[in-house]
Amino acid sequence: MTILEYIDKYGDKNFEEEKFNEIDNVIFASVSYLDFDGIVSKSMHGKITIKDAKYLYLRKLYEEKNKITAHKSALRIFKKISTKKRYRDLKLYNYKYIGNDNEQFCAVSIDIDDKLTYLSFEGTDNLISGWKEDFYLACFYPVPSHKSSINYVNRFIFSNRKLILGGHSKGGNLALVAGMEANHFVKKKIIAVYSNDGPGLRKNEFNSREYKEILLKLHSIIPNYSLFGLLLRHTNKYKVIESNKKGIYAHDLLSWQVEDKEFKKSELSNFSKLFDKSMLDWVNKYDDETRLLFVNSIFEIFDKTGIKDIEEIFKKKTLILKIIIESKLPKETKKMLRDFLKVVFEYSRQK
């Protein structure tokens, strides 16, 4: 059963009849992928229902053919929930968007009932620009979107509502960091944090008191062909779930398989196990400055080869390696790049 089929099956049950669960979390995490500028209030007031927001969204013709996978999936989910009793009258508000050369951040608040609110943080997809943001997480802390997510959560300091924080891809990392670094009084309101195939943390943050405190509330969900969710250091208490797709396509929320009221459990693929080990070896071997040089170097090469999404990496791997060999980069950096790409190229052979 897919998420869309879950919505059809339980869409006539409100949240008193069927309590909030991990699938509802993913549904709400997807909502922040949609551009609600001019539709959803940017303040803590002036709330609009999901049903009404959908009509205004479609009227503004945001459903464009060139939208990336996460946006397309989010829109399919949003259209479906806007017609169902369980979701259609839930209120959206507190919309925040920042998009510039240094930061990509978006979040929206969803009132589930009179006492509970889900804070949804937007993530990234298979575009190279999204991967670059994720890899910068390995180089310094906090990144600009971290600061924005913390400020966003702290807006609820005077609210008496309980909070659930969640996001998909980079949004899962933002939800985690926001929960870790939130104001002391806001932290008390947070009852759960969901990272849905979201990157982990650097060593300092992973070993911090703030992380250990939020760990008791953290729910980490990754598909069996996870990449994003295995970046950096992460809890080993993640839930591996089944996707009906392989490789990078398993990152798509609509590929995640549902079994009644929870995701269908699975085991990590061979590729994800290899990627997890290789990524940990990488972050242990190099310091922040060296990792930053690596990240800038690899994405400069992707730019030179005209690569815009992950799939193009595998189509142009010979050209990429040629550029690395011919570049004037230090030998150690060249070795880092070749070692990393060896792991990435292994993806195309893993089943």
Side-chain angles (χ1 to χ4, degrees), residues 75-122:
L75 184 54
R76 290 184 66 188
I77 292 172
F78 195 66
K79 283 181 176 179
K80 177 77 73 172
I81 64 175
S82 70
T83 66
K84 302 298 182 180
K85 171 186 173 183
R86 183 171 179 81
Y87 307 101
R88 65 191 178 201
D89 293 322
L90 303 187
K91 302 293 180 61
L92 303 175
Y93 61 105
N94 195 24
Y95 177 72
K96 179 76 172 180
Y97 175 78
I98 301 172
N100 54 50
D101 292 340
N102 298 316
E103 179 181 5
Q104 177 264 320
F105 172 84
C106 187
V108 65
S109 302
I110 307 166
D111 282 353
I112 297 173
D113 57 33
D114 292 340
K115 299 178 180 179
L116 181 62
T117 297
Y118 186 101
L119 308 188
S120 175
F121 296 91
E122 183 186 17

Side-chain angles (χ1 to χ4, degrees), residues 278-332:
S278 299
M279 177 54 60
L280 187 58
D281 290 344
W282 183 70
V283 297
N284 283 334
K285 186 174 182 180
Y286 302 106
D287 59 23
D288 291 349
E289 185 177 349
T290 307
R291 289 197 294 264
L292 181 59
L293 174 61
F294 162 83
V295 172
N296 287 334
S297 298
I298 188 100
F299 286 99
E300 282 178 13
I301 290 169
F302 290 161
D303 185 55
K304 288 179 180 178
T305 54
I307 290 173
K308 300 298 182 184
D309 64 55
I310 299 303
E311 285 303 302
E312 292 181 6
I313 294 175
F314 310 112
K315 297 175 184 177
K316 298 183 179 181
K317 60 183 180 181
T318 302
L319 177 59
I320 292 170
L321 292 173
K322 182 175 183 291
I323 291 176
I324 292 173
I325 292 171
E326 295 176 352
S327 72
K328 296 180 180 180
L329 291 168
K331 289 183 179 180
E332 181 68 9

